[in-house]
């Protein structure tokens, strides 16, 4: 099949195949009119980007829940599984949306309460509300000691840049 091209704000020109497109039948909350998305990002980075095919300015950072919380075990409503066409775990993958503050990436949070479920066979996906009430919407990703080191490193870099 022919490759399609999208010129994105964040990544520049991206080439993708139609079979790489994930279909969100009901969109993503806050982006309900965007039904087609692709996953963009380097293999060596745990954070990928869910890039809208119809809006070149819209990309959401996502990662595997295992990268944040290895014991993650979201309970998914059966109706949501039916929407993407399978409840067979072999066909499914999970992503979670992360929020990365541009000026303070060490304060990154992960939305463990609303995972994205992907059906790897049908390429349908849906963001759902997990039935586990213990999972927060803003789970702090980095432990405090790591966050502090990242803050200090950023401050030192800023100081060094100002000296130049």
């Amino acid at each position: 099949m022919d490759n399609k091209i999208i010129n994105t704000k964040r990544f520049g020109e991206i080439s993708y195949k139609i079979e790489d497109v994930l279909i969100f039948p009901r969109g993503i909350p806050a982006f309900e009119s965007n039904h087609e998305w692709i996953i963009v990002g380097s293999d060596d980075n745990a954070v990928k980007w869910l890039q809208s095919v119809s809006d070149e300015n819209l990309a959401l950072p996502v990662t595997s829940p295992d990268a944040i919380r290895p014991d993650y075990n979201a309970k998914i409503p059966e109706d949501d599984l039916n929407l993407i066409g399978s409840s067979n775990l072999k066909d499914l993958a999970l992503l979670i949306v992360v929020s990365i503050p541009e000026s303070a990436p060490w304060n990154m949070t992960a939305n463990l309460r609303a995972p994205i479920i992907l059906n790897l066979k049908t390429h349908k996906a849906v963001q759902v509300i997990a039935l586990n009430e213990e999972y927060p919407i803003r789970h702090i990703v980095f432990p405090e000691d790591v966050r502090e080191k990242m803050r200090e490193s950023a401050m030192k870099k800023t100081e060094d840049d100002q000296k130049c």
Side-chain angles (χ1 to χ4, degrees), residues 6-52:
I6 182 174
N7 192 13
T8 69
K9 178 180 178 181
R10 181 173 295 278
F11 307 104
E13 192 173 275
I14 297 173
S15 174
Y16 66 95
K17 295 181 172 114
I18 198 72
E19 59 264 23
D20 295 333
V21 175
L22 300 171
I23 305 297
F24 285 75
R26 59 184 184 208
I28 293 176
F31 309 106
E32 288 84 359
S33 63
N34 292 274
H35 296 275
E36 296 181 338
W37 300 76
I38 55 175
I39 296 177
V40 178
S42 64
D43 290 340
D44 62 342
N45 193 330
V47 176
K48 307 288 187 239
W49 292 83
L50 202 53
Q51 171 67 55
S52 170

Side-chain angles (χ1 to χ4, degrees), residues 7-146:
N7 192 13
T8 69
K9 178 180 178 181
R10 181 173 295 278
F11 307 104
E13 192 173 275
I14 297 173
S15 174
Y16 66 95
K17 295 181 172 114
I18 198 72
E19 59 264 23
D20 295 333
V21 175
L22 300 171
I23 305 297
F24 285 75
R26 59 184 184 208
I28 293 176
F31 309 106
E32 288 84 359
S33 63
N34 292 274
H35 296 275
E36 296 181 338
W37 300 76
I38 55 175
I39 296 177
V40 178
S42 64
D43 290 340
D44 62 342
N45 193 330
V47 176
K48 307 288 187 239
W49 292 83
L50 202 53
Q51 171 67 55
S52 170
V53 171
S54 60
D55 182 347
E56 64 276 356
N57 296 317
L58 180 57
L60 303 172
V62 294
T63 192
S64 165
D66 292 341
I68 306 295
R69 194 157 161 193
D71 65 341
Y72 187 73
N73 187 22
K75 295 178 183 144
I76 308 302
E78 192 68 33
D79 290 348
D80 291 320
L81 292 173
N82 292 337
L83 183 65
I84 60 170
S86 180
S87 57
N88 186 339
L89 292 179
K90 293 186 306 185
D91 298 341
L92 304 177
L94 284 177
L95 293 174
I96 53 174
V97 178
V98 294
S99 177
I100 308 169
E102 191 173 335
S103 62
W106 50 85
N107 288 330
M108 179 169 51
T109 60
N111 184 347
L112 298 179
R113 189 62 190 270
I116 294 172
I117 297 119
L118 310 173
N119 182 325
L120 302 172
K121 284 190 175 180
T122 65
H123 291 258
K124 287 187 178 178
V126 65
Q127 186 173 25
V128 303
I129 302 296
L131 299 173
N132 315 60
E133 291 186 17
E134 71 270 18
Y135 290 138
I137 292 171
R138 290 182 187 91
H139 173 79
I140 295 173
V141 172
F142 299 113
E144 184 56 40
D145 61 326
V146 172

